[in-house]
Amino acid sequence: MKKITSLEDLRRIKEQSKDLTSARSGGKTRIIVGMGTCGIAAGAREVMTVILQELDRRGLKDVAVETTGCIGMCQKEPLVDIIRPGEPRITYGDVGPADVPRIIVEHIVNGNIVEDKVVGQTD
Amino acid sequence: MLQDLSQYILDIAENSLKAQASSVEIEVEEDTRENVLRLRVTDNGVGMDSEQLSMVENPFFTTRTERRVGLGIPFLKQAAETCDGSFEIRSEKGRGTVIEASFRRDCIDCPPLGDIPATVMALMVGWPERSFLFRFRFNDDIFETGTEELLQVLEDRELFASAEVALWISRYIEQGIYNLRTGGNEGFEEDHQP
């Protein structure tokens, strides 16, 4: 099927998603991807793309995706932090695209930390 | 070393944003007649003085405190020069910085363009409060889009954080580049991979 992407589609997405504007405000889960040179070299942008695809596929609208620079753990990039409201900040390391669905389902949807990928925790 | 030019662009633009740029212009130019590929990233960030500018191509110079090497720019310069191209940084304290790199397109060591749409998407999602302009030139034709154009539809910068909007941006740019290269908007498939 041929489909032309147009600004009209964007208008439709906007109209259908009035509730999206809450995505960056407080009380929402935050996903933070390390996008320094080290993260980019390790594949952080691909991980971010898969995160967005997974959120879109599952219709998870109350999750904000953000980026940050190098935090000095370059050897463990790609790094992905997840902060659920009222919970500690969990840092996952060496995250590949294949790890993303598991982290999203287990941690973001079900609230269970994926222990084998954790490299840090900050309260 | 980064894998492809789209990753270098993302890396350079991230530098611009850390230098407090409120607006970043990204230009990619493919000229098949001159056999040249050019990248240009222009920002209005804090800029550098001549002393910093003279050190920025040195891998062991970085302003960051998290680690002591800064490899993005030296690698891009090396890649351009390996491909009979050129590399230039112009900067003025308080005004901003322009980084330009060119490559001979058919050089065997020329890094592939990579996923340019994903780079622009990552910037718009990661920095929704900043403004980006993306321009892709293919010979005489131009595809251009940016934060301001998209905001005319979205009206709200917070929507850049929406996964659905972000993925739309990536598809829109992918199609724009595809149309330029093929000289029209016929035959673009949703699942087309560049």
Side-chain angles (χ1 to χ4, degrees), chain B residues 32-172:
Chain B
T32 58
R33 300 161 302 190
E34 287 182 38
N35 193 26
V36 171
L37 191 60
R38 282 191 198 90
L39 315 177
R40 186 181 301 114
V41 178
T42 308
D43 72 53
N44 65 349
V46 295
M48 290 175 280
D49 57 31
S50 52
E51 193 191 355
Q52 284 175 310
L53 200 53
S54 67
M55 293 195 291
V56 80
E57 292 170 16
N58 175 350
F60 300 103
F61 169 74
T62 178
T63 56
R64 81 177 75 249
T65 53
E66 295 86 358
R67 62 177 144 83
R68 289 173 303 179
V69 290
L71 290 169
I73 285 175
F75 275 142
L76 178 61
K77 178 178 158 73
Q78 187 187 39
E81 288 173 352
T82 306
C83 285
D84 310 322
S86 61
F87 179 84
E88 192 187 358
I89 305 183
R90 298 187 297 275
S91 191
E92 203 182 322
K93 200 85 183 166
R95 298 291 295 274
T97 302
V98 184
I99 294 188
E100 260 179 28
S102 70
F103 304 78
R104 180 162 58 83
R105 274 180 79 242
D106 61 1
C107 170
I108 193 157
D109 294 314
C110 187
L113 260 184
D115 195 346
I116 299 275
T119 280
V120 181
M121 175 185 76
L123 290 167
M124 287 182 169
V125 171
W127 303 86
E129 71 287 3
R130 313 289 179 97
S131 289
F132 299 93
L133 182 69
F134 170 69
R135 187 179 297 124
F136 194 103
R137 200 186 293 266
F138 185 82
N139 295 332
D140 295 326
D141 296 317
I142 293 175
F143 169 76
E144 191 178 286
T145 189
T147 306
E148 303 309 321
E149 181 194 30
L150 302 180
L151 272 178
Q152 284 179 13
V153 176
L154 294 175
E155 293 172 334
D156 180 354
R157 285 177 182 265
E158 287 201 6
L159 282 169
F160 286 114
S162 141
E164 204 180 1
V165 170
L167 296 170
W168 178 89
I169 291 170
S170 175
R171 283 198 306 275
Y172 183 60

Side-chain angles (χ1 to χ4, degrees), chain A residues 61-108:
Chain A
K61 295 190 194 300
D62 53 351
V63 180
V65 179
E66 304 168 25
T67 61
T68 187
C70 171
I71 58 165
M73 281 204 284
C74 311
Q75 71 281 7
K76 291 184 176 160
E77 297 278 0
L79 292 167
V80 175
D81 287 14
I82 292 183
I83 311 171
R84 280 165 54 96
E87 293 182 19
R89 175 180 188 139
I90 304 296
T91 302
Y92 292 106
D94 194 21
V95 177
D99 299 314
V100 168
R102 185 162 66 106
I103 291 174
I104 287 186
V105 171
E106 280 303 310
H107 193 156
I108 292 181

Side-chain angles (χ1 to χ4, degrees), chain A residues 38-52:
Chain A
C38 44
I40 295 168
R45 193 196 56 192
E46 288 67 24
V47 168
M48 182 184 190
T49 301
V50 176
I51 289 171
L52 291 165

